[in-house]
PDB file of all heavy atoms in Angstrom:
ATOM      1  N   ILE A   1       0.817  -1.240  -0.050  1.00  0.00           N
ATOM      2  CA  ILE A   1      -0.041  -0.032  -0.014  1.00  0.00           C
ATOM      3  C   ILE A   1       0.845   1.234   0.012  1.00  0.00           C
ATOM      4  O   ILE A   1       0.654   2.208  -0.726  1.00  0.00           O
ATOM      5  CB  ILE A   1      -0.913  -0.103   1.191  1.00  0.00           C
ATOM      6  CG1 ILE A   1      -2.007  -1.148   1.084  1.00  0.00           C
ATOM      7  CG2 ILE A   1      -1.769   1.264   1.367  1.00  0.00           C
ATOM      8  CD1 ILE A   1      -2.960  -1.269   2.193  1.00  0.00           C
ATOM      9  N   ALA A   2       1.900   1.278   0.843  1.00  0.00           N
ATOM     10  CA  ALA A   2       2.760   2.480   0.991  1.00  0.00           C
ATOM     11  C   ALA A   2       3.495   2.729  -0.391  1.00  0.00           C
ATOM     12  O   ALA A   2       3.580   3.816  -0.878  1.00  0.00           O
ATOM     13  CB  ALA A   2       3.803   2.332   2.068  1.00  0.00           C
ATOM     14  N   ILE A   3       3.939   1.561  -0.969  1.00  0.00           N
ATOM     15  CA  ILE A   3       4.614   1.779  -2.291  1.00  0.00           C
ATOM     16  C   ILE A   3       3.633   2.253  -3.372  1.00  0.00           C
ATOM     17  O   ILE A   3       4.005   3.047  -4.264  1.00  0.00           O
ATOM     18  CB  ILE A   3       5.355   0.457  -2.653  1.00  0.00           C
ATOM     19  CG1 ILE A   3       6.412   0.066  -1.666  1.00  0.00           C
ATOM     20  CG2 ILE A   3       5.981   0.600  -4.009  1.00  0.00           C
ATOM     21  CD1 ILE A   3       7.079  -1.214  -1.840  1.00  0.00           C
ATOM     22  N   ALA A   4       2.466   1.684  -3.352  1.00  0.00           N
ATOM     23  CA  ALA A   4       1.452   2.182  -4.345  1.00  0.00           C
ATOM     24  C   ALA A   4       1.137   3.640  -4.161  1.00  0.00           C
ATOM     25  O   ALA A   4       0.942   4.357  -5.097  1.00  0.00           O
ATOM     26  CB  ALA A   4       0.217   1.310  -4.197  1.00  0.00           C
ATOM     27  N   GLU A   5       1.050   4.091  -2.928  1.00  0.00           N
ATOM     28  CA  GLU A   5       0.854   5.491  -2.728  1.00  0.00           C
ATOM     29  C   GLU A   5       1.969   6.354  -3.258  1.00  0.00           C
ATOM     30  O   GLU A   5       1.806   7.423  -3.842  1.00  0.00           O
ATOM     31  CB  GLU A   5       0.649   5.779  -1.153  1.00  0.00           C
ATOM     32  CG  GLU A   5       0.387   7.180  -0.816  1.00  0.00           C
ATOM     33  CD  GLU A   5      -1.009   7.705  -1.319  1.00  0.00           C
ATOM     34  OE1 GLU A   5      -1.809   6.870  -1.729  1.00  0.00           O
ATOM     35  OE2 GLU A   5      -1.065   8.866  -1.467  1.00  0.00           O
ATOM     36  N   MET A   6       3.183   5.758  -3.049  1.00  0.00           N
ATOM     37  CA  MET A   6       4.332   6.566  -3.561  1.00  0.00           C
ATOM     38  C   MET A   6       4.335   6.555  -5.151  1.00  0.00           C
ATOM     39  O   MET A   6       4.715   7.530  -5.706  1.00  0.00           O
ATOM     40  CB  MET A   6       5.611   5.964  -2.996  1.00  0.00           C
ATOM     41  CG  MET A   6       6.842   6.750  -3.363  1.00  0.00           C
ATOM     42  SD  MET A   6       8.414   5.985  -2.812  1.00  0.00           S
ATOM     43  CE  MET A   6       8.411   4.606  -3.899  1.00  0.00           C
ATOM     44  N   ARG A   7       3.883   5.453  -5.704  1.00  0.00           N
ATOM     45  CA  ARG A   7       3.872   5.393  -7.149  1.00  0.00           C
ATOM     46  C   ARG A   7       2.860   6.434  -7.615  1.00  0.00           C
ATOM     47  O   ARG A   7       3.031   7.090  -8.637  1.00  0.00           O
ATOM     48  CB  ARG A   7       3.475   4.044  -7.589  1.00  0.00           C
ATOM     49  CG  ARG A   7       4.550   2.940  -7.514  1.00  0.00           C
ATOM     50  CD  ARG A   7       3.954   1.506  -7.725  1.00  0.00           C
ATOM     51  NE  ARG A   7       3.419   1.494  -9.003  1.00  0.00           N
ATOM     52  CZ  ARG A   7       3.985   1.161 -10.219  1.00  0.00           C
ATOM     53  NH1 ARG A   7       5.188   0.841 -10.144  1.00  0.00           N
ATOM     54  NH2 ARG A   7       3.295   1.076 -11.364  1.00  0.00           N
ATOM     55  N   LYS A   8       1.760   6.578  -6.920  1.00  0.00           N
ATOM     56  CA  LYS A   8       0.716   7.469  -7.283  1.00  0.00           C
ATOM     57  C   LYS A   8       1.215   8.884  -7.211  1.00  0.00           C
ATOM     58  O   LYS A   8       0.993   9.700  -8.128  1.00  0.00           O
ATOM     59  CB  LYS A   8      -0.524   7.223  -6.477  1.00  0.00           C
ATOM     60  CG  LYS A   8      -1.737   8.167  -6.730  1.00  0.00           C
ATOM     61  CD  LYS A   8      -2.895   7.977  -5.878  1.00  0.00           C
ATOM     62  CE  LYS A   8      -4.010   8.927  -6.162  1.00  0.00           C
ATOM     63  NZ  LYS A   8      -5.134   8.686  -5.316  1.00  0.00           N
ATOM     64  N   ARG A   9       1.856   9.239  -6.038  1.00  0.00           N
ATOM     65  CA  ARG A   9       2.352  10.583  -5.900  1.00  0.00           C
ATOM     66  C   ARG A   9       3.572  10.839  -6.851  1.00  0.00           C
ATOM     67  O   ARG A   9       3.746  12.036  -7.190  1.00  0.00           O
ATOM     68  CB  ARG A   9       2.793  10.753  -4.496  1.00  0.00           C
ATOM     69  CG  ARG A   9       1.705  10.653  -3.461  1.00  0.00           C
ATOM     70  CD  ARG A   9       2.137  11.021  -2.090  1.00  0.00           C
ATOM     71  NE  ARG A   9       1.120  10.965  -1.139  1.00  0.00           N
ATOM     72  CZ  ARG A   9       1.255  11.260   0.166  1.00  0.00           C
ATOM     73  NH1 ARG A   9       2.446  11.543   0.714  1.00  0.00           N
ATOM     74  NH2 ARG A   9       0.137  11.131   0.992  1.00  0.00           N
ATOM     75  N   SER A  10       4.248   9.822  -7.251  1.00  0.00           N
ATOM     76  CA  SER A  10       5.376  10.019  -8.185  1.00  0.00           C
ATOM     77  C   SER A  10       5.017   9.892  -9.602  1.00  0.00           C
ATOM     78  O   SER A  10       5.909  10.023 -10.512  1.00  0.00           O
ATOM     79  CB  SER A  10       6.522   9.007  -7.720  1.00  0.00           C
ATOM     80  OG  SER A  10       6.866   9.166  -6.516  1.00  0.00           O
ATOM     81  N   SER A  11       3.773   9.604  -9.866  1.00  0.00           N
ATOM     82  CA  SER A  11       3.421   9.461 -11.327  1.00  0.00           C
ATOM     83  C   SER A  11       3.557  10.796 -12.070  1.00  0.00           C
ATOM     84  O   SER A  11       3.429  11.841 -11.479  1.00  0.00           O
ATOM     85  CB  SER A  11       1.995   8.870 -11.415  1.00  0.00           C
ATOM     86  OG  SER A  11       1.066   9.897 -10.867  1.00  0.00           O
ATOM     87  N   LEU A  12       3.653  10.591 -13.325  1.00  0.00           N
ATOM     88  CA  LEU A  12       3.903  11.809 -14.232  1.00  0.00           C
ATOM     89  C   LEU A  12       2.571  12.654 -14.147  1.00  0.00           C
ATOM     90  O   LEU A  12       2.740  13.933 -14.083  1.00  0.00           O
ATOM     91  CB  LEU A  12       4.222  11.364 -15.650  1.00  0.00           C
ATOM     92  CG  LEU A  12       4.344  12.459 -16.667  1.00  0.00           C
ATOM     93  CD1 LEU A  12       5.564  13.261 -16.283  1.00  0.00           C
ATOM     94  CD2 LEU A  12       4.516  11.827 -18.019  1.00  0.00           C
ATOM     95  N   SER A  13       1.428  12.094 -14.226  1.00  0.00           N
ATOM     96  CA  SER A  13       0.212  12.914 -14.258  1.00  0.00           C
ATOM     97  C   SER A  13       0.046  13.689 -12.999  1.00  0.00           C
ATOM     98  O   SER A  13      -0.308  14.813 -12.957  1.00  0.00           O
ATOM     99  CB  SER A  13      -0.996  12.035 -14.514  1.00  0.00           C
ATOM    100  OG  SER A  13      -1.118  11.068 -13.501  1.00  0.00           O
ATOM    101  N   THR A  14       0.308  13.074 -11.788  1.00  0.00           N
ATOM    102  CA  THR A  14       0.233  13.751 -10.521  1.00  0.00           C
ATOM    103  C   THR A  14       1.157  14.855 -10.419  1.00  0.00           C
ATOM    104  O   THR A  14       0.863  15.943  -9.946  1.00  0.00           O
ATOM    105  CB  THR A  14       0.458  12.773  -9.328  1.00  0.00           C
ATOM    106  OG1 THR A  14      -0.554  11.752  -9.494  1.00  0.00           O
ATOM    107  CG2 THR A  14       0.222  13.425  -8.057  1.00  0.00           C
ATOM    108  N   LEU A  15       2.423  14.589 -10.833  1.00  0.00           N
ATOM    109  CA  LEU A  15       3.434  15.614 -10.778  1.00  0.00           C
ATOM    110  C   LEU A  15       3.144  16.859 -11.656  1.00  0.00           C
ATOM    111  O   LEU A  15       3.280  17.998 -11.252  1.00  0.00           O
ATOM    112  CB  LEU A  15       4.844  14.941 -11.212  1.00  0.00           C
ATOM    113  CG  LEU A  15       5.986  15.893 -11.027  1.00  0.00           C
ATOM    114  CD1 LEU A  15       6.291  16.394  -9.576  1.00  0.00           C
ATOM    115  CD2 LEU A  15       7.307  15.213 -11.554  1.00  0.00           C
ATOM    116  N   LEU A  16       2.725  16.486 -12.860  1.00  0.00           N
ATOM    117  CA  LEU A  16       2.428  17.569 -13.766  1.00  0.00           C
ATOM    118  C   LEU A  16       1.175  18.383 -13.248  1.00  0.00           C
ATOM    119  O   LEU A  16       1.223  19.611 -13.399  1.00  0.00           O
ATOM    120  CB  LEU A  16       2.118  17.077 -15.221  1.00  0.00           C
ATOM    121  CG  LEU A  16       3.332  16.352 -15.899  1.00  0.00           C
ATOM    122  CD1 LEU A  16       2.927  15.979 -17.247  1.00  0.00           C
ATOM    123  CD2 LEU A  16       4.504  17.351 -15.991  1.00  0.00           C
ATOM    124  N   SER A  17       0.183  17.663 -12.747  1.00  0.00           N
ATOM    125  CA  SER A  17      -0.995  18.363 -12.181  1.00  0.00           C
ATOM    126  C   SER A  17      -0.619  19.229 -10.993  1.00  0.00           C
ATOM    127  O   SER A  17      -1.151  20.438 -10.877  1.00  0.00           O
ATOM    128  CB  SER A  17      -2.010  17.400 -11.717  1.00  0.00           C
ATOM    129  OG  SER A  17      -3.083  17.935 -11.210  1.00  0.00           O
ATOM    130  N   SER A  18       0.304  18.778 -10.090  1.00  0.00           N
ATOM    131  CA  SER A  18       0.648  19.597  -8.908  1.00  0.00           C
ATOM    132  C   SER A  18       1.472  20.851  -9.395  1.00  0.00           C
ATOM    133  O   SER A  18       1.195  21.959  -8.897  1.00  0.00           O
ATOM    134  CB  SER A  18       1.460  18.762  -7.993  1.00  0.00           C
ATOM    135  OG  SER A  18       0.749  17.662  -7.509  1.00  0.00           O
ATOM    136  N   LEU A  19       2.385  20.636 -10.360  1.00  0.00           N
ATOM    137  CA  LEU A  19       3.214  21.755 -10.815  1.00  0.00           C
ATOM    138  C   LEU A  19       2.333  22.816 -11.623  1.00  0.00           C
ATOM    139  O   LEU A  19       2.572  24.037 -11.517  1.00  0.00           O
ATOM    140  CB  LEU A  19       4.289  21.292 -11.617  1.00  0.00           C
ATOM    141  CG  LEU A  19       5.406  20.442 -10.876  1.00  0.00           C
ATOM    142  CD1 LEU A  19       6.477  19.947 -11.819  1.00  0.00           C
ATOM    143  CD2 LEU A  19       5.996  21.293  -9.768  1.00  0.00           C
ATOM    144  N   SER A  20       1.300  22.208 -12.317  1.00  0.00           N
ATOM    145  CA  SER A  20       0.414  23.193 -13.044  1.00  0.00           C
ATOM    146  C   SER A  20      -0.432  24.145 -12.254  1.00  0.00           C
ATOM    147  O   SER A  20      -0.763  25.142 -12.594  1.00  0.00           O
ATOM    148  CB  SER A  20      -0.499  22.330 -13.934  1.00  0.00           C
ATOM    149  OG  SER A  20       0.247  21.592 -14.937  1.00  0.00           O
ATOM    150  N   ALA A  21      -0.608  23.689 -10.956  1.00  0.00           N
ATOM    151  CA  ALA A  21      -1.380  24.452  -9.985  1.00  0.00           C
ATOM    152  C   ALA A  21      -0.575  25.536  -9.363  1.00  0.00           C
ATOM    153  O   ALA A  21      -1.142  26.464  -8.642  1.00  0.00           O
ATOM    154  CB  ALA A  21      -2.095  23.557  -8.931  1.00  0.00           C
ATOM    155  N   LEU A  22       0.749  25.573  -9.586  1.00  0.00           N
ATOM    156  CA  LEU A  22       1.577  26.611  -8.934  1.00  0.00           C
ATOM    157  C   LEU A  22       1.348  28.012  -9.612  1.00  0.00           C
ATOM    158  O   LEU A  22       1.086  28.007 -10.841  1.00  0.00           O
ATOM    159  CB  LEU A  22       3.038  26.227  -9.012  1.00  0.00           C
ATOM    160  CG  LEU A  22       3.439  24.965  -8.171  1.00  0.00           C
ATOM    161  CD1 LEU A  22       4.886  24.574  -8.395  1.00  0.00           C
ATOM    162  CD2 LEU A  22       3.212  25.174  -6.681  1.00  0.00           C
ATOM    163  N   PRO A  23       1.484  29.064  -8.835  1.00  0.00           N
ATOM    164  CA  PRO A  23       1.281  30.344  -9.460  1.00  0.00           C
ATOM    165  C   PRO A  23       2.351  30.627 -10.572  1.00  0.00           C
ATOM    166  O   PRO A  23       3.431  30.270 -10.510  1.00  0.00           O
ATOM    167  CB  PRO A  23       1.565  31.272  -8.227  1.00  0.00           C
ATOM    168  CG  PRO A  23       1.323  30.527  -6.974  1.00  0.00           C
ATOM    169  CD  PRO A  23       1.770  29.114  -7.443  1.00  0.00           C
ATOM    170  N   GLY A  24       1.928  31.246 -11.543  1.00  0.00           N
ATOM    171  CA  GLY A  24       2.747  31.607 -12.650  1.00  0.00           C
ATOM    172  C   GLY A  24       2.846  30.661 -13.778  1.00  0.00           C
ATOM    173  O   GLY A  24       3.410  30.882 -14.822  1.00  0.00           O
ATOM    174  N   ILE A  25       2.267  29.446 -13.533  1.00  0.00           N
ATOM    175  CA  ILE A  25       2.295  28.341 -14.576  1.00  0.00           C
ATOM    176  C   ILE A  25       0.894  28.259 -15.207  1.00  0.00           C
ATOM    177  O   ILE A  25      -0.062  28.114 -14.524  1.00  0.00           O
ATOM    178  CB  ILE A  25       2.723  26.996 -14.017  1.00  0.00           C
ATOM    179  CG1 ILE A  25       4.174  27.096 -13.465  1.00  0.00           C
ATOM    180  CG2 ILE A  25       2.695  25.942 -15.010  1.00  0.00           C
ATOM    181  CD1 ILE A  25       4.760  25.826 -12.830  1.00  0.00           C
ATOM    182  N   HIS A  26       0.917  28.415 -16.519  1.00  0.00           N
ATOM    183  CA  HIS A  26      -0.370  28.245 -17.229  1.00  0.00           C
ATOM    184  C   HIS A  26      -0.804  26.778 -17.348  1.00  0.00           C
ATOM    185  O   HIS A  26      -1.904  26.380 -17.066  1.00  0.00           O
ATOM    186  CB  HIS A  26      -0.279  28.963 -18.638  1.00  0.00           C
ATOM    187  CG  HIS A  26      -1.566  28.945 -19.351  1.00  0.00           C
ATOM    188  ND1 HIS A  26      -1.873  27.928 -20.183  1.00  0.00           N
ATOM    189  CD2 HIS A  26      -2.554  29.906 -19.348  1.00  0.00           C
ATOM    190  CE1 HIS A  26      -3.145  28.234 -20.752  1.00  0.00           C
ATOM    191  NE2 HIS A  26      -3.573  29.368 -20.261  1.00  0.00           N
ATOM    192  N   SER A  27       0.191  26.057 -17.866  1.00  0.00           N
ATOM    193  CA  SER A  27      -0.111  24.547 -17.985  1.00  0.00           C
ATOM    194  C   SER A  27       1.231  23.856 -18.198  1.00  0.00           C
ATOM    195  O   SER A  27       2.202  24.389 -18.737  1.00  0.00           O
ATOM    196  CB  SER A  27      -1.114  24.289 -19.164  1.00  0.00           C
ATOM    197  OG  SER A  27      -0.497  24.622 -20.361  1.00  0.00           O
ATOM    198  N   ILE A  28       1.217  22.609 -17.908  1.00  0.00           N
ATOM    199  CA  ILE A  28       2.376  21.732 -18.120  1.00  0.00           C
ATOM    200  C   ILE A  28       1.835  20.392 -18.705  1.00  0.00           C
ATOM    201  O   ILE A  28       0.857  19.843 -18.169  1.00  0.00           O
ATOM    202  CB  ILE A  28       3.170  21.392 -16.868  1.00  0.00           C
ATOM    203  CG1 ILE A  28       3.679  22.674 -16.322  1.00  0.00           C
ATOM    204  CG2 ILE A  28       4.314  20.501 -17.161  1.00  0.00           C
ATOM    205  CD1 ILE A  28       4.459  22.494 -14.972  1.00  0.00           C
ATOM    206  N   LYS A  29       2.324  19.947 -19.831  1.00  0.00           N
ATOM    207  CA  LYS A  29       1.865  18.718 -20.414  1.00  0.00           C
ATOM    208  C   LYS A  29       3.086  18.004 -21.104  1.00  0.00           C
ATOM    209  O   LYS A  29       4.030  18.635 -21.438  1.00  0.00           O
ATOM    210  CB  LYS A  29       0.698  19.041 -21.398  1.00  0.00           C
ATOM    211  CG  LYS A  29       1.031  19.958 -22.529  1.00  0.00           C
ATOM    212  CD  LYS A  29      -0.121  20.198 -23.353  1.00  0.00           C
ATOM    213  CE  LYS A  29       0.261  21.241 -24.448  1.00  0.00           C
ATOM    214  NZ  LYS A  29      -0.879  21.610 -25.333  1.00  0.00           N
ATOM    215  N   MET A  30       2.846  16.693 -21.371  1.00  0.00           N
ATOM    216  CA  MET A  30       3.847  15.827 -22.050  1.00  0.00           C
ATOM    217  C   MET A  30       3.239  15.384 -23.345  1.00  0.00           C
ATOM    218  O   MET A  30       2.118  14.835 -23.353  1.00  0.00           O
ATOM    219  CB  MET A  30       4.253  14.714 -21.147  1.00  0.00           C
ATOM    220  CG  MET A  30       5.348  13.863 -21.761  1.00  0.00           C
ATOM    221  SD  MET A  30       6.932  14.663 -21.572  1.00  0.00           S
ATOM    222  CE  MET A  30       7.209  14.543 -19.866  1.00  0.00           C
ATOM    223  N   ILE A  31       3.880  15.653 -24.470  1.00  0.00           N
ATOM    224  CA  ILE A  31       3.365  15.211 -25.767  1.00  0.00           C
ATOM    225  C   ILE A  31       4.366  14.389 -26.460  1.00  0.00           C
ATOM    226  O   ILE A  31       5.475  14.324 -26.041  1.00  0.00           O
ATOM    227  CB  ILE A  31       3.026  16.554 -26.672  1.00  0.00           C
ATOM    228  CG1 ILE A  31       4.334  17.393 -26.904  1.00  0.00           C
ATOM    229  CG2 ILE A  31       1.984  17.409 -26.015  1.00  0.00           C
ATOM    230  CD1 ILE A  31       4.063  18.486 -27.777  1.00  0.00           C
ATOM    231  N   LYS A  32       3.940  13.603 -27.426  1.00  0.00           N
ATOM    232  CA  LYS A  32       4.748  12.774 -28.160  1.00  0.00           C
ATOM    233  C   LYS A  32       5.497  13.403 -29.336  1.00  0.00           C
ATOM    234  O   LYS A  32       6.323  12.679 -29.981  1.00  0.00           O
ATOM    235  CB  LYS A  32       3.942  11.568 -28.673  1.00  0.00           C
ATOM    236  CG  LYS A  32       3.221  10.685 -27.590  1.00  0.00           C
ATOM    237  CD  LYS A  32       4.234  10.106 -26.675  1.00  0.00           C
ATOM    238  CE  LYS A  32       3.566   9.320 -25.701  1.00  0.00           C
ATOM    239  NZ  LYS A  32       4.507   8.563 -24.750  1.00  0.00           N
ATOM    240  N   GLU A  33       5.293  14.688 -29.630  1.00  0.00           N
ATOM    241  CA  GLU A  33       5.952  15.291 -30.757  1.00  0.00           C
ATOM    242  C   GLU A  33       7.426  15.479 -30.387  1.00  0.00           C
ATOM    243  O   GLU A  33       7.733  15.898 -29.326  1.00  0.00           O
ATOM    244  CB  GLU A  33       5.270  16.558 -31.020  1.00  0.00           C
ATOM    245  CG  GLU A  33       3.780  16.416 -31.411  1.00  0.00           C
ATOM    246  CD  GLU A  33       3.155  17.764 -31.718  1.00  0.00           C
ATOM    247  OE1 GLU A  33       3.864  18.820 -31.579  1.00  0.00           O
ATOM    248  OE2 GLU A  33       1.960  17.873 -32.037  1.00  0.00           O
ATOM    249  N   PRO A  34       8.328  15.264 -31.392  1.00  0.00           N
ATOM    250  CA  PRO A  34       9.780  15.531 -31.116  1.00  0.00           C
ATOM    251  C   PRO A  34       9.956  17.016 -31.007  1.00  0.00           C
ATOM    252  O   PRO A  34       9.369  17.903 -31.599  1.00  0.00           O
ATOM    253  CB  PRO A  34      10.489  15.051 -32.301  1.00  0.00           C
ATOM    254  CG  PRO A  34       9.397  15.059 -33.425  1.00  0.00           C
ATOM    255  CD  PRO A  34       8.023  14.829 -32.726  1.00  0.00           C
ATOM    256  N   ALA A  35      10.923  17.430 -30.122  1.00  0.00           N
ATOM    257  CA  ALA A  35      11.349  18.830 -29.916  1.00  0.00           C
ATOM    258  C   ALA A  35      12.728  19.088 -30.403  1.00  0.00           C
ATOM    259  O   ALA A  35      13.547  18.239 -30.392  1.00  0.00           O
ATOM    260  CB  ALA A  35      11.206  19.222 -28.457  1.00  0.00           C
ATOM    261  N   VAL A  36      12.931  20.281 -30.979  1.00  0.00           N
ATOM    262  CA  VAL A  36      14.287  20.662 -31.464  1.00  0.00           C
ATOM    263  C   VAL A  36      15.151  21.021 -30.266  1.00  0.00           C
ATOM    264  O   VAL A  36      14.690  21.810 -29.391  1.00  0.00           O
ATOM    265  CB  VAL A  36      14.164  21.849 -32.428  1.00  0.00           C
ATOM    266  CG1 VAL A  36      15.555  22.225 -32.965  1.00  0.00           C
ATOM    267  CG2 VAL A  36      13.213  21.480 -33.556  1.00  0.00           C
ATOM    268  N   LEU A  37      16.317  20.466 -30.166  1.00  0.00           N
ATOM    269  CA  LEU A  37      17.248  20.782 -29.102  1.00  0.00           C
ATOM    270  C   LEU A  37      17.628  22.276 -29.177  1.00  0.00           C
ATOM    271  O   LEU A  37      17.864  22.837 -30.243  1.00  0.00           O
ATOM    272  CB  LEU A  37      18.531  19.919 -29.234  1.00  0.00           C
ATOM    273  CG  LEU A  37      18.278  18.439 -28.986  1.00  0.00           C
ATOM    274  CD1 LEU A  37      19.625  17.692 -29.227  1.00  0.00           C
ATOM    275  CD2 LEU A  37      17.657  18.116 -27.645  1.00  0.00           C
ATOM    276  N   ASP A  38      17.748  22.892 -27.962  1.00  0.00           N
ATOM    277  CA  ASP A  38      18.173  24.274 -27.761  1.00  0.00           C
ATOM    278  C   ASP A  38      17.313  25.194 -28.549  1.00  0.00           C
ATOM    279  O   ASP A  38      17.644  26.221 -29.022  1.00  0.00           O
ATOM    280  CB  ASP A  38      19.648  24.444 -28.309  1.00  0.00           C
ATOM    281  CG  ASP A  38      20.607  23.639 -27.416  1.00  0.00           C
ATOM    282  OD1 ASP A  38      20.353  23.402 -26.318  1.00  0.00           O
ATOM    283  OD2 ASP A  38      21.620  23.279 -27.999  1.00  0.00           O
ATOM    284  N   ALA A  39      15.975  24.873 -28.499  1.00  0.00           N
ATOM    285  CA  ALA A  39      15.011  25.775 -29.158  1.00  0.00           C
ATOM    286  C   ALA A  39      14.767  27.031 -28.359  1.00  0.00           C
ATOM    287  O   ALA A  39      14.845  26.923 -27.099  1.00  0.00           O
ATOM    288  CB  ALA A  39      13.692  24.964 -29.504  1.00  0.00           C
ATOM    289  N   SER A  40      14.530  28.121 -28.879  1.00  0.00           N
ATOM    290  CA  SER A  40      14.290  29.363 -28.142  1.00  0.00           C
ATOM    291  C   SER A  40      12.837  29.331 -27.607  1.00  0.00           C
ATOM    292  O   SER A  40      11.947  28.636 -28.162  1.00  0.00           O
ATOM    293  CB  SER A  40      14.483  30.546 -29.092  1.00  0.00           C
ATOM    294  OG  SER A  40      13.569  30.417 -30.158  1.00  0.00           O
ATOM    295  N   VAL A  41      12.648  30.124 -26.602  1.00  0.00           N
ATOM    296  CA  VAL A  41      11.317  30.205 -25.945  1.00  0.00           C
ATOM    297  C   VAL A  41      10.476  31.041 -26.898  1.00  0.00           C
ATOM    298  O   VAL A  41      10.830  32.133 -27.413  1.00  0.00           O
ATOM    299  CB  VAL A  41      11.406  30.906 -24.600  1.00  0.00           C
ATOM    300  CG1 VAL A  41      10.120  31.051 -24.001  1.00  0.00           C
ATOM    301  CG2 VAL A  41      12.365  29.971 -23.666  1.00  0.00           C
TER     302      VAL A  41
END
């Protein structure tokens, strides 16, 4: 049970959801499209 809870808290969706709720962040998501290295903001 304890390990399952840690898996849940450490999952990608939970982490992204928690970080997305922080002030100043509009959204955070993971997509399958390739990204160009050293791309400008």
Side-chain angles (χ1 to χ4, degrees):
I1 294 179
I3 297 177
E5 180 65 22
M6 188 182 71
R7 286 172 57 90
K8 180 179 178 181
R9 295 183 179 182
S10 303
S11 64
L12 179 62
S13 59
T14 302
L15 183 60
L16 294 182
S17 176
S18 299
L19 294 176
S20 298
L22 293 176
I25 297 182
H26 182 270
S27 65
I28 300 175
K29 58 184 178 180
M30 187 74 69
I31 61 177
K32 298 299 182 179
E33 298 178 2
V36 181
L37 295 177
D38 298 329
S40 59
V41 177

